Structures are given as C-alpha cells and as structure tokens.
Amino acid sequence: MKNTCDDVMEKFLMKDKNELLPLSVIVHIIGCKECRTMVRRMTLAEKNARGSLVKAVPHDNPTLDAVMQKVSALELSSGRKPKPVSLAGWIVSGILMIIAMMFFGFYTTPSTASSLLIIAFYLLFALAIVVYCIAFVTSNLDFFVKKISLRKNPVSAA
C-alpha cells in the first residue's frame, strides 16, 4: 500500500498547480486517508507560505507594466496559447436535453404510448442527467477541489 501511495504522491507532485490530475490519482486521494491528509497539509503549507509573500502593488506601477509586457512577449514568442475555459458546450448540451425531454413529454400521452415505454424513457432521461452532472463535475474537479472549501478553517490532520 505504501508503494502505491508513493506513486500517487509522485504523480500528484509532478503536476502544475492548476493542471488536471489523472482520474486514478483523484480516486486514490479520495479513498486513501493518508494521502488525503498529506495533500491537505501541502495545501495549507502552500497557503501559509504564499500569504507572507503577498504584497499589494498598485496597478499603475511601471515595474508591473514592464513585467507584464515581458510575459506577454514570451507568451507570443512561445506560440503557446492558453486553453480558454468555455461552458458553451455544457450549456448547449443541457438545453438539448431539456428540449428532448419537453418534446417527449408533449408528444407522448398514455393514449399514444404504453406506460412502460414512458417510464423507460423518463428513466433514460434521469440517467442522462446523472451522467451529465457526473461528467461536468469530473471535468471541472480541479475547480471544485481548489476553489470551494467546505470548512472555514480546515484542520491540518484528518
């Protein structure tokens, strides 16, 4: 078990701060209390270390402007473009699911379709909604894990 935990923590530490973790690492961290505690402690240590380094810099600071221009020039010269986060696909697919459900509800009545067929289709729609929600949460898991805190002051030991 310890070897598996070491491998998972190695994969976890190899990723950049906002990079998506592999599903196997996420599942292991969720299931392993020792690894979850270690990740929580690293997060708290990073938060404490970052807090003392934060300084307020005015937006009209010429040094800040120079640094941002250099960063922009490096970004343009590298050819890498940040991948924009878009919810358009999620919104369109959600609207299509709603339209499909409404269409089915309007055009099927107990007189035109059997009750078992109606129940089967509504169960299929329910399954589609569950899969949709699971896919949304898992594809945006980094956001949910890093941005949402369930407790005001998380404890460093579980």
Side-chain angles (χ1 to χ4, degrees):
M1 183 68 170
K2 187 67 173 165
N3 195 19
T4 304
C5 290
D6 290 341
D7 293 340
V8 167
M9 291 312 296
E10 180 75 22
K11 289 178 185 176
F12 177 81
L13 293 171
M14 291 297 290
K15 296 291 183 179
D16 286 338
K17 181 175 171 105
N18 292 321
E19 195 173 356
L20 186 64
L21 294 172
L23 183 61
S24 61
V25 173
I26 294 169
V27 169
H28 180 84
I29 290 173
I30 289 172
C32 179
K33 184 177 181 180
E34 189 175 313
C35 291
R36 194 171 52 247
T37 301
M38 190 176 300
V39 168
R40 188 177 304 124
R41 286 179 177 168
M42 284 188 285
T43 304
L44 288 171
E46 185 263 337
K47 197 179 286 185
N48 287 336
R50 182 184 57 208
S52 63
L53 298 175
V54 175
K55 291 182 186 176
V57 178
H59 292 292
D60 58 349
N61 187 335
T63 308
L64 180 63
D65 289 337
V67 169
M68 292 307 292
Q69 287 174 358
K70 286 181 183 180
V71 169
S72 296
L74 283 173
E75 247 181 29
L76 291 173
S77 67
S78 71
R80 281 182 65 195
K81 294 184 179 177
K83 187 175 156 185
V85 177
S86 174
L87 294 178
W90 291 105
I91 292 170
V92 168
S93 60
I95 290 172
L96 289 176
M97 280 192 335
I98 291 169
I99 290 171
M101 285 185 246
M102 288 174 55
F103 180 78
F104 182 76
F106 290 145
Y107 292 104
T108 56
T109 60
S111 62
T112 61
S114 73
S115 296
L116 288 177
L117 181 66
I118 293 173
I119 291 171
F121 272 109
Y122 280 120
L123 287 175
L124 182 67
F125 287 141
L127 179 65
I129 291 171
V130 168
V131 169
Y132 177 85
C133 292
I134 290 171
F136 179 76
V137 169
T138 54
S139 66
N140 297 298
L141 197 58
D142 277 349
F143 170 78
F144 292 117
V145 169
K146 293 176 182 172
K147 300 292 182 194
I148 298 173
S149 176
L150 297 177
R151 290 186 270 174
K152 194 144 186 127
N153 294 319
V155 184
S156 62

